[in-house]
């Protein structure tokens, strides 16, 4: 290799379910480009996100910290001023950190104002943009309703479409996310019955190719100079579930994997699970006619993503950049698609909390692991530590709660890897919280998963949920109320308790400094003597002549 | 009353043990002025600090948050940029917040630099000064050793002494904290054998009267204008244990309460307890000759504090300010003074973690509680919420973990008060951590106390400690390894777990906003439809004509 790879393309898809890639075993999807990346790198088979919704999962990925540490438990909750992200840490060690696409990060405007930060200057801009330098930010949801737009930023994608001659205020909706009806009326992609129709946009102008173009521009522009991490963050296959031709028509009913749900799940549901089943999206996705429209479109969106990966990887290869670029490919969470009587994400079945995670490391040290599958428990919060490790720097242990994956990529089996992964969801703004009458401080869920068991604790006095992933890999049978499993439940509660007590906020002191402090003279080295009876009891090195001459007292005026 | 009291003198002594005041039952101390404050207000009999060392306890008091939330677990660990304190919250509701004396706060210089903050401007100065506006800051430890000064700031108290004609670089040490030996040599107050001697300073120039002068100046200057909270924060009776005449000579051996310790405590100590017993200060205070020198001096220091309280209160009364000023009198932690084979503080016996807390509320609503004793469990983190409540404002529930004490002061018995109090200590920099080979992330202790039991959990695999405060109020018998107490231990672990999982970092969102969000249309009000099959399924109020006319696709260039 020309030089040691330090650049990273950190590719994130949105709502890409772990099992909708051929390399992860989908029987009908064919994703050769992503599969090829897996053949060149390591495919992690137990990768879990730390929160099961876009914004929160991403804040974990970017900060390298749990929701319980940074506080962003749901979409559009601002990330507090003071939390640092991979961008801050990478710049500290000499690398750049760029964003192309979505972060779903809300700036803490009140905090910025309190601290006099200006989003127009570089410090404020980074605080406002989650620590990234922005190549192109587009969060990809350009909806508008009676209360105004969902996202008040400018949309580079809408600007692009307009520049290409697409008409109207919101071509994102009217073209890229709608179909053309026979009667001359738009059929909006918001409505699931329209999912199977082709989006009314030239395929090459749709969102996934557009963002890939931006990534290619970036890679070309940044061949030399400081090392960088570039977060290439796609909105798709996230809803609206609609895709341009030919992708809308590639999959049919025969390619839909059967729904995974049981009547017992409804009949005897944990109250929190029951609450989520009641949501509109769960009831809608319980309909087979809906699934028949949506799932082929979702698969088409993924197929388009794979094709764009092919384009991107070929471009890198042609440019000779493949040997100097680590490529991470993952997703921020999955999609229930009707499984377990749910739609969307939020709860912790594998459909939602487990994600694809493929890492290609071009370095020679990683040759031994190419094409292998790792069964270690990997958390999305491991990425910042991995990227810093790749720079040859030490990860800031006072901030990061994840671990570098480089040892796993390079065939080193660390002495001890984590025994369980954690995820969280804060549903305090949801109607489920209202229905369950939960205080906002209590409307929070925690998941612990190991290689055998998955456990969910809901704050507020509910029973836990528990699944035996060996005996019941599809997670049908909730053992959370089973007396026969009290030992496992106790173990899970112990793990959750120890995790919750962890030292996550001592962010102004590095561990090594604390250890070093044990060695010195402590306060004595600065003349503070605690528990010393007489001067002769001071160790010699700290003695500084405390018996000076007595000087007279001044007159008191 | 002329107006509703909104001003607060928040008086904190340092290392004033809860039982060294006559109103708290000391058989030989006579503290009539503090007792009188208690007779005018409420004396809290179960007040606990949230950390058993100066800096950490104070960061809890000022932020209204636990160590586990703000991260400052030991002295001189910087308080991270982004944490807010009572000063920030009080200014938000129109009150000023001033400091006179000690905070033991270290500014997060790295964080300030990262965020471009300048300690010379008002925003940076408040970040650097723990949210206070500084009337006079003096942390009171002006020691110097081979590694330099313990505190690198300027010392207003040293400047004062010099202005009065005291000679030398460090009259704080050479006069206020040393005695004059017969042989013309200074006898430093750092050495416990000198404790009984009179400090070589005019009594009225010693630290406690000096700080009282500053408080009186403040009160006179601030009679009108915005309401204020003024933190009057004394260094004494903290060591060096030395006091000017006549206070050095007021108490003798006959006034020392007997040491509280048992041989069993040494013979069968929990390993963490044993580790702390090994510290130099514990071994020194195990000597009766040391206690005979130190304790009368400590009592003299407290007596001086009480006399200064008399001066301060009389001044307020003469000025007519007593009716408009709430007065809080407390301490940041206690002092073992040899009890339980320990010196100093750090562990969680009452000698260390329990503090005096007296609150005088001049308002009419508080008349019914004057002179009463409250047995409710009170935490130091309750103070910020109390002061904000006094302003008639709502405490920021996204930040504060304590509760307003106003209801208790005004005779309202809240429906539910806390069932337990929590304290923490982080000993990662200590030689005890080295001896126990503890990782810095694990060298942390947690205490839970209720009205019957006190429990300590040490991270790192140690057994817990448990005391039955009813049967064993002096905390001699550690039941932490008693099988007969497994139910209580389980309860305590459950409480600790629930506490540790609490929602402490969601500081950018108020609870009321989260509850309000449950009511609205959610994303639908902004045009985001999740799980809607057809346009006619949208509630009418969100419908905004998604079936516009199809416009032609532009030519693709």
């Amino acid at each position: 290799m020309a030089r040691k790879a330090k650049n990273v393309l950190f590719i994130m898809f949105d709502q890409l379910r772990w099992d909708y890639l051929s390399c992860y075993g989908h029987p009908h999807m064919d994703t050769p480009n992503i599969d090829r990346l897996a053949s060149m790198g390591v495919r992690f088979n137990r990768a879990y996100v730390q929160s099961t919704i876009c914004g929160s999962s991403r804040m974990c990925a970017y900060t390298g910290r749990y929701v319980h540490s940074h506080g962003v438990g749901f979409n559009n909750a601002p990330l507090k001023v003071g939390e640092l992200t991979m961008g801050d840490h990478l710049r500290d060690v000499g690398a750049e950190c760029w964003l192309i696409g979505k972060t779903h990060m809300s700036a803490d405007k009140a905090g910025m104002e309190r601290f006099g930060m200006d989003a127009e200057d570089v410090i404020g801009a980074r605080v406002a943009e989650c620590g990234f330098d922005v190549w192109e930010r587009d969060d990809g949801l350009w909806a508008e309703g009676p209360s105004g737009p969902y996202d008040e930023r400018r949309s580079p994608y809408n600007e692009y479409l307009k520049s290409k001659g697409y008409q109207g205020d919101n071509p994102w909706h009217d073209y890229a996310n709608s179909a053309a009806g026979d009667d001359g009326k738009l059929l909006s992609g918001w409505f699931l019955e329209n999912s199977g129709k082709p989006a009314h946009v030239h395929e090459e102008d749709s969102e996934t190719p557009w963002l890939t173009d931006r990534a290619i521009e970036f890679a070309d522009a940044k061949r030399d100079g400081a090392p960088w991490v570039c977060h290439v963050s796609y909105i798709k296959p996230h809803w609206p579930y609609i895709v341009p031709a030919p992708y809308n028509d590639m999959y049919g009913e025969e390619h839909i994997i059967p729904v995974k749900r049981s009547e017992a799940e409804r009949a005897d549901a944990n109250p929190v699970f029951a609450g989520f089943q009641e949501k509109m999206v769960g009831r809608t996705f319980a309909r087979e006619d809906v699934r028949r429209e949506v799932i082929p479109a979702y698969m088409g969106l993924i197929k388009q993503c794979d094709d764009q990966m092919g384009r991107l990887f070929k471009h890198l290869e042609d440019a000779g950049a493949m040997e100097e670029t680590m490529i991470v490919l993952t997703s921020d969470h999955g999609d229930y698609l009707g499984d377990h009587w749910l739609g969307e994400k939020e709860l912790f079945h594998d459909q939602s909390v487990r994600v694809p995670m493929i890492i290609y490391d071009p370095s020679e040290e990683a040759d031994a692991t190419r094409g292998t599958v790792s069964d270690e428990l990997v958390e999305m919060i491991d990425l910042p530590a991995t990227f810093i490790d790749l720079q040859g720097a030490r990860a800031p242990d006072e901030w990061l709660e994840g671990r570098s994956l480089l040892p796993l990529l390079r065939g080193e089996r660390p002495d001890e890897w984590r025994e369980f992964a954690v995820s969280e969801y804060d549903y305090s703004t949801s109607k489920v919280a209202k229905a369950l009458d939960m205080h906002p401080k209590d409307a929070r869920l925690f998941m612990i998963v190991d290689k055998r068991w998955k456990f969910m604790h809901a704050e507020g006095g509910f029973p836990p949920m528990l699944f035996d992933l060996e005996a019941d890999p599809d997670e049908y049978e909730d053992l959370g109320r089973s007396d026969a499993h009290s030992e496992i439940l106790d173990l899970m509660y112990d793990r959750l308790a120890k995790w919750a007590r962890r030292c996550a906020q001592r962010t102004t002191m590095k561990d090594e400094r604390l250890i070093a402090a044990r060695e010195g003279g402590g306060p004595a080295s600065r003349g503070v003597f605690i528990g010393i009876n007489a001067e002769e009891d001071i160790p010699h090195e700290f003695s500084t002549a405390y018996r000076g001459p007595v000087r007279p007292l001044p007159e008191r005026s």
Side-chain angles (χ1 to χ4, degrees), chain A:
Chain A
M1 282 171 299
R3 60 167 179 159
K4 191 126 178 127
K6 290 193 170 183
N7 296 341
V8 183
L9 280 182
F10 165 29
I11 299 167
M12 185 179 276
F13 293 102
D14 197 318
Q15 201 137 336
L16 172 58
R17 189 167 135 161
W18 77 276
D19 59 349
Y20 270 66
L21 297 171
S22 38
C23 58
Y24 277 92
H26 195 287
H28 307 296
M29 288 288 323
D30 180 29
T31 51
N33 298 295
I34 294 174
D35 294 3
R36 192 172 146 246
L37 190 75
S39 76
M40 296 162 62
V42 175
R43 182 168 69 76
F44 290 96
N45 205 30
R46 295 176 197 265
Y48 293 96
V49 289
Q50 276 54 72
S51 185
T52 43
I53 200 160
C54 306
S56 308
S57 173
R58 289 157 182 273
M59 295 312 107
C60 296
Y62 306 153
T63 62
R65 291 158 61 78
Y66 296 101
V67 168
H68 188 245
S69 300
H70 61 64
V72 179
F74 43 85
N75 283 342
N76 305 317
L79 181 68
K80 65 172 81 178
V81 169
E83 281 293 321
L84 303 184
T85 77
M86 60 168 72
D88 302 296
H89 301 306
L90 284 162
R91 283 189 296 274
D92 284 349
V93 302
E96 299 179 356
C97 188
W98 290 91
L99 169 69
I100 299 175
K102 168 170 177 169
T103 61
H104 220 139
M105 186 265 193
S106 266
D108 175 9
K109 288 181 188 163
M112 290 182 65
E113 188 181 347
R114 182 184 294 280
F115 293 121
M117 294 173 175
D118 181 351
E120 298 299 310
D121 70 29
V122 66
I123 291 173
R126 285 170 175 164
V127 169
E129 291 292 358
C130 209
F132 292 104
D133 286 331
V134 176
W135 190 265
E136 191 88 288
R137 175 171 180 179
D138 192 298
D139 272 14
L141 280 183
W142 304 106
E144 193 162 355
S147 302
Y150 180 78
D151 186 337
E152 296 188 347
R153 295 178 191 82
R154 56 173 274 264
S155 163
Y157 179 62
N158 255 337
E159 290 171 10
Y160 166 81
L161 288 180
K162 290 176 190 173
S163 78
K164 290 290 176 182
Y166 292 87
Q167 298 173 39
D169 287 341
N170 190 355
W172 171 84
H173 175 264
D174 296 351
Y175 292 92
N177 287 284
S178 291
D182 294 335
D183 52 0
K185 290 205 171 165
L186 275 192
L187 302 175
S188 171
W190 283 122
F191 309 117
L192 303 176
E193 64 176 4
N194 298 329
S195 301
K197 304 202 166 51
H200 184 50
V201 66
H202 293 297
E203 190 274 330
E204 60 268 40
D205 291 335
S206 62
E207 291 157 277
T208 302
W210 172 76
L211 202 81
T212 305
D213 287 344
R214 303 287 82 73
I216 287 172
E217 280 169 17
F218 176 89
D220 287 348
K222 288 281 185 179
R223 284 305 304 278
D224 300 309
W228 45 259
V229 172
C230 181
H231 181 39
V232 181
S233 185
Y234 290 92
I235 180 67
K236 295 300 180 185
H238 192 283
W239 41 256
Y241 303 103
I242 189 165
V243 63
Y247 296 101
N248 72 302
D249 216 20
M250 285 185 179
Y251 299 96
E253 196 176 338
E254 67 279 18
H255 302 119
I256 300 176
I257 50 178
V259 69
K260 290 186 177 174
R261 66 191 183 207
S262 76
E263 283 305 324
E265 284 182 296
R266 269 215 284 217
D268 185 33
N270 178 293
V272 176
F273 184 22
F276 279 87
Q277 288 178 16
E278 281 307 302
K279 289 184 75 167
M280 163 79 91
V281 68
R283 286 182 283 126
T284 303
F285 272 91
R287 290 166 55 176
E288 275 303 311
D289 62 321
V290 169
R291 287 171 37 88
R292 269 199 307 272
E293 287 299 316
V294 170
I295 292 177
Y298 180 70
M299 293 171 71
L301 285 165
I302 295 168
K303 181 69 180 169
Q304 187 188 27
C305 290
D306 185 72
D307 284 344
Q308 292 300 315
M309 290 300 95
R311 232 184 106 213
L312 176 61
F313 301 158
K314 176 156 193 328
H315 185 89
L316 295 174
E317 275 161 359
D318 292 348
M322 209 66 178
E323 293 86 51
E324 54 195 44
T325 310
M326 171 180 276
I327 300 176
V328 177
L329 188 149
T330 188
S331 174
D332 61 348
H333 55 74
D335 191 326
Y336 275 106
L337 296 169
D339 289 352
H340 304 292
W341 307 100
L342 299 171
E344 283 275 272
K345 45 257 182 180
E346 304 175 312
L347 287 189
F348 303 114
H349 299 89
D350 272 6
Q351 285 86 349
S352 170
V353 74
R354 187 172 169 189
V355 289
M357 169 86 78
I358 296 166
I359 304 185
Y360 157 70
D361 174 359
S363 73
E364 213 173 315
E365 297 97 308
D367 285 350
T369 65
R370 298 197 193 287
T372 63
V373 176
S374 170
D375 275 322
E376 294 298 350
L377 290 159
V378 165
E379 297 186 323
M380 186 70 84
I381 59 170
D382 294 335
L383 295 178
T386 305
F387 302 159
I388 292 162
D389 196 4
L390 191 72
Q391 308 307 315
R394 193 144 158 196
D397 55 51
E398 73 279 26
W399 282 103
L400 298 186
E401 301 192 275
R403 299 180 56 160
S404 171
L405 301 175
L406 278 199
L408 299 182
L409 295 171
R410 295 177 175 181
E412 301 156 25
R413 182 72 176 72
D415 285 344
E416 44 175 292
W417 193 251
R418 66 170 60 85
E419 293 187 339
F420 57 88
V422 177
S423 192
E424 297 169 80
Y425 183 61
D426 180 336
Y427 65 106
S428 24
T429 61
S430 134
K431 293 198 190 306
V432 179
K434 186 182 175 190
L436 296 174
D437 195 23
M438 278 293 102
H439 188 279
K441 296 269 199 276
D442 284 337
R444 294 179 301 125
L445 311 176
F446 300 88
M447 178 207 76
I448 299 251
V449 66
D450 64 19
K451 291 184 177 180
R452 170 82 187 270
W453 302 98
K454 187 184 285 179
F455 162 87
M456 180 190 90
H457 167 70
E459 227 46 77
F462 300 106
M465 290 178 78
L466 181 72
F467 298 101
D468 180 344
L469 302 177
E470 271 181 20
D472 174 29
D474 288 329
E475 307 172 86
Y476 289 131
E477 193 186 356
D478 176 9
L479 305 168
R481 289 159 286 170
S482 152
D483 291 338
H485 292 81
S486 61
E487 274 186 39
I488 293 296
L489 289 165
D490 285 349
L491 171 67
M492 292 296 184
Y493 272 115
D494 282 351
R495 286 173 168 178
L496 180 60
K498 184 167 165 51
W499 172 85
R501 293 190 309 259
R502 76 199 181 282
C503 183
Q505 300 302 333
R506 197 175 60 193
T507 55
T508 56
M509 301 290 273
K510 286 188 187 299
D511 286 349
E512 63 186 351
R513 200 171 145 201
L514 307 184
I515 291 171
R518 299 174 185 176
E519 297 302 326
S525 70
R526 296 184 182 270
V528 169
F529 297 106
I530 302 172
I532 301 287
N533 189 53
E535 186 165 2
E536 53 268 27
D537 300 334
I538 309 181
H540 177 71
E541 67 268 31
F542 301 127
S543 182
T544 50
Y546 282 92
R547 291 174 188 259
V550 174
R551 280 167 287 207
L553 280 181
E555 292 289 312
R556 191 51 169 93
S557 55

